[in-house]
Short mmCIF file of all heavy atoms in Angstrom, two decimals:
data_model
loop_
_atom_site.label_atom_id
_atom_site.label_comp_id
_atom_site.label_asym_id
_atom_site.label_seq_id
_atom_site.Cartn_x
_atom_site.Cartn_y
_atom_site.Cartn_z
N THR X 295 -30.66 15.18 80.47
CA THR X 295 -31.85 15.11 79.64
C THR X 295 -32.53 13.80 79.91
O THR X 295 -32.09 12.95 80.62
CB THR X 295 -31.45 15.14 78.11
OG1 THR X 295 -30.67 13.88 77.84
CG2 THR X 295 -30.59 16.31 77.71
N ILE X 296 -33.74 13.67 79.38
CA ILE X 296 -34.45 12.36 79.57
C ILE X 296 -33.70 11.24 79.02
O ILE X 296 -33.60 10.18 79.66
CB ILE X 296 -35.84 12.51 79.05
CG1 ILE X 296 -36.70 13.49 79.87
CG2 ILE X 296 -36.59 11.16 78.91
CD1 ILE X 296 -38.06 13.80 79.25
N ALA X 297 -33.15 11.43 77.86
CA ALA X 297 -32.34 10.34 77.21
C ALA X 297 -31.11 9.97 78.05
O ALA X 297 -30.78 8.83 78.22
CB ALA X 297 -31.93 10.68 75.80
N GLN X 298 -30.47 10.99 78.56
CA GLN X 298 -29.19 10.76 79.44
C GLN X 298 -29.62 10.01 80.68
O GLN X 298 -28.95 9.11 81.10
CB GLN X 298 -28.55 12.07 79.73
CG GLN X 298 -27.88 12.72 78.55
CD GLN X 298 -27.41 14.14 78.91
OE1 GLN X 298 -28.06 14.86 79.64
NE2 GLN X 298 -26.30 14.53 78.33
N ALA X 299 -30.71 10.41 81.30
CA ALA X 299 -31.21 9.77 82.57
C ALA X 299 -31.55 8.30 82.31
O ALA X 299 -31.25 7.42 83.11
CB ALA X 299 -32.35 10.54 83.14
N CYS X 300 -32.21 8.05 81.13
CA CYS X 300 -32.59 6.70 80.70
C CYS X 300 -31.35 5.79 80.57
O CYS X 300 -31.29 4.67 81.01
CB CYS X 300 -33.45 6.67 79.56
SG CYS X 300 -35.08 7.33 79.79
N GLU X 301 -30.29 6.38 79.91
CA GLU X 301 -29.09 5.63 79.64
C GLU X 301 -28.36 5.38 80.96
O GLU X 301 -27.87 4.27 81.20
CB GLU X 301 -28.14 6.45 78.73
CG GLU X 301 -26.84 5.84 78.49
CD GLU X 301 -26.82 4.46 77.84
OE1 GLU X 301 -27.87 4.07 77.27
OE2 GLU X 301 -25.86 3.71 77.95
N LEU X 302 -28.34 6.30 81.86
CA LEU X 302 -27.70 6.13 83.14
C LEU X 302 -28.47 5.05 83.91
O LEU X 302 -27.83 4.17 84.59
CB LEU X 302 -27.71 7.45 83.96
CG LEU X 302 -26.94 7.42 85.30
CD1 LEU X 302 -25.50 7.02 85.15
CD2 LEU X 302 -27.00 8.83 85.89
N ALA X 303 -29.69 5.08 83.92
CA ALA X 303 -30.49 4.03 84.61
C ALA X 303 -30.22 2.65 84.07
O ALA X 303 -30.05 1.64 84.80
CB ALA X 303 -31.97 4.29 84.52
N ARG X 304 -30.04 2.58 82.74
CA ARG X 304 -29.68 1.29 82.11
C ARG X 304 -28.30 0.81 82.52
O ARG X 304 -28.07 -0.31 82.91
CB ARG X 304 -29.74 1.40 80.56
CG ARG X 304 -29.55 0.11 79.83
CD ARG X 304 -29.25 0.27 78.36
NE ARG X 304 -27.97 1.02 78.13
CZ ARG X 304 -26.76 0.42 78.23
NH1 ARG X 304 -26.58 -0.75 78.63
NH2 ARG X 304 -25.66 1.23 77.94
N GLU X 305 -27.31 1.77 82.53
CA GLU X 305 -25.96 1.43 83.00
C GLU X 305 -25.86 1.03 84.37
O GLU X 305 -25.10 0.10 84.75
CB GLU X 305 -25.03 2.71 82.72
CG GLU X 305 -24.77 3.07 81.31
CD GLU X 305 -24.04 4.32 81.08
OE1 GLU X 305 -23.63 4.92 82.18
OE2 GLU X 305 -23.87 4.74 79.95
N LEU X 306 -26.70 1.56 85.24
CA LEU X 306 -26.74 1.23 86.69
C LEU X 306 -27.52 -0.09 86.94
O LEU X 306 -27.39 -0.69 87.93
CB LEU X 306 -27.34 2.28 87.52
CG LEU X 306 -26.55 3.63 87.56
CD1 LEU X 306 -27.32 4.69 88.38
CD2 LEU X 306 -25.17 3.38 88.17
N GLY X 307 -28.33 -0.49 85.96
CA GLY X 307 -29.15 -1.68 86.13
C GLY X 307 -30.23 -1.49 87.11
O GLY X 307 -30.70 -2.43 87.80
N ALA X 308 -30.80 -0.28 87.22
CA ALA X 308 -31.87 -0.01 88.13
C ALA X 308 -33.12 -0.77 87.68
O ALA X 308 -33.48 -0.74 86.49
CB ALA X 308 -32.13 1.49 88.18
N GLN X 309 -33.83 -1.37 88.60
CA GLN X 309 -35.08 -2.07 88.32
C GLN X 309 -36.19 -1.16 87.96
O GLN X 309 -36.99 -1.40 87.06
CB GLN X 309 -35.43 -3.02 89.47
CG GLN X 309 -34.53 -4.16 89.70
CD GLN X 309 -35.01 -4.98 90.79
OE1 GLN X 309 -36.18 -5.10 91.15
NE2 GLN X 309 -34.08 -5.74 91.40
N ARG X 310 -36.22 -0.04 88.70
CA ARG X 310 -37.27 0.97 88.42
C ARG X 310 -36.65 2.31 88.57
O ARG X 310 -35.87 2.57 89.50
CB ARG X 310 -38.41 0.93 89.52
CG ARG X 310 -39.48 1.88 89.34
CD ARG X 310 -40.47 1.79 90.54
NE ARG X 310 -41.56 2.79 90.34
CZ ARG X 310 -42.43 3.12 91.29
NH1 ARG X 310 -42.35 2.52 92.46
NH2 ARG X 310 -43.32 4.06 91.09
N THR X 311 -36.94 3.25 87.63
CA THR X 311 -36.43 4.61 87.66
C THR X 311 -37.58 5.59 87.49
O THR X 311 -38.46 5.40 86.65
CB THR X 311 -35.49 4.78 86.40
OG1 THR X 311 -34.35 3.80 86.67
CG2 THR X 311 -34.89 6.19 86.40
N VAL X 312 -37.55 6.62 88.39
CA VAL X 312 -38.51 7.66 88.34
C VAL X 312 -37.79 8.99 87.92
O VAL X 312 -36.86 9.29 88.67
CB VAL X 312 -39.23 7.82 89.71
CG1 VAL X 312 -40.17 8.94 89.59
CG2 VAL X 312 -39.97 6.53 90.03
N LEU X 313 -38.17 9.56 86.81
CA LEU X 313 -37.54 10.82 86.37
C LEU X 313 -38.29 11.93 86.99
O LEU X 313 -39.51 12.02 86.94
CB LEU X 313 -37.59 10.90 84.87
CG LEU X 313 -36.88 9.78 84.12
CD1 LEU X 313 -36.90 10.01 82.61
CD2 LEU X 313 -35.48 9.54 84.53
N THR X 314 -37.54 12.82 87.67
CA THR X 314 -38.12 13.93 88.35
C THR X 314 -37.53 15.27 87.87
O THR X 314 -36.66 15.29 86.95
CB THR X 314 -37.94 13.78 89.87
OG1 THR X 314 -38.67 14.76 90.54
CG2 THR X 314 -36.51 13.86 90.28
N HIS X 315 -37.98 16.37 88.41
CA HIS X 315 -37.55 17.70 88.07
C HIS X 315 -37.79 17.99 86.56
O HIS X 315 -36.97 18.59 85.87
CB HIS X 315 -36.01 17.92 88.38
CG HIS X 315 -35.71 19.37 88.55
ND1 HIS X 315 -34.82 19.93 87.66
CD2 HIS X 315 -36.04 20.22 89.41
CE1 HIS X 315 -34.68 21.21 88.04
NE2 HIS X 315 -35.46 21.42 89.07
N LEU X 316 -38.98 17.58 86.12
CA LEU X 316 -39.35 17.72 84.70
C LEU X 316 -39.70 19.20 84.39
O LEU X 316 -40.33 19.91 85.27
CB LEU X 316 -40.58 16.86 84.43
CG LEU X 316 -40.40 15.38 84.79
CD1 LEU X 316 -41.76 14.65 84.64
CD2 LEU X 316 -39.30 14.66 83.93
N SER X 317 -39.32 19.70 83.23
CA SER X 317 -39.67 21.00 82.80
C SER X 317 -41.03 20.99 82.13
O SER X 317 -41.66 20.00 81.84
CB SER X 317 -38.61 21.53 81.82
OG SER X 317 -38.76 21.04 80.55
N HIS X 318 -41.56 22.19 81.78
CA HIS X 318 -42.79 22.30 81.15
C HIS X 318 -42.69 21.89 79.64
O HIS X 318 -43.76 21.74 78.96
CB HIS X 318 -43.26 23.81 81.19
CG HIS X 318 -43.62 24.15 82.63
ND1 HIS X 318 -44.71 23.75 83.27
CD2 HIS X 318 -42.93 25.03 83.47
CE1 HIS X 318 -44.71 24.24 84.50
NE2 HIS X 318 -43.64 25.01 84.67
N ASP X 319 -41.53 21.61 79.21
CA ASP X 319 -41.29 21.13 77.82
C ASP X 319 -41.77 19.66 77.69
O ASP X 319 -41.92 19.17 76.58
CB ASP X 319 -39.86 21.27 77.37
CG ASP X 319 -39.37 22.69 77.31
OD1 ASP X 319 -40.23 23.56 77.22
OD2 ASP X 319 -38.14 22.91 77.34
N VAL X 320 -41.81 18.98 78.79
CA VAL X 320 -42.16 17.52 78.75
C VAL X 320 -43.72 17.35 78.65
O VAL X 320 -44.43 17.88 79.48
CB VAL X 320 -41.63 16.88 80.03
CG1 VAL X 320 -42.07 15.41 80.10
CG2 VAL X 320 -40.12 16.99 80.16
N ASP X 321 -44.13 16.59 77.77
CA ASP X 321 -45.53 16.24 77.57
C ASP X 321 -45.72 14.91 78.20
O ASP X 321 -45.36 13.83 77.70
CB ASP X 321 -45.81 16.16 76.02
CG ASP X 321 -47.36 15.86 75.82
OD1 ASP X 321 -47.95 15.00 76.54
OD2 ASP X 321 -47.91 16.49 74.90
#
């Protein structure tokens, strides 16, 4: 999910994260 991806990015300490493979549910 978007929240899970954001949490994973935080845990990894990524400087920049781009979320991809977005569904049509995302505004």
Side-chain angles (χ1 to χ4, degrees):
T295 65
I296 290 174
Q298 290 169 327
C300 289
E301 177 61 19
L302 185 56
R304 187 194 63 75
E305 290 172 6
L306 294 176
Q309 290 182 26
R310 178 182 180 196
T311 299
V312 178
L313 303 183
T314 190
H315 202 246
L316 307 171
S317 77
H318 295 289
D319 295 339
V320 176
D321 183 319

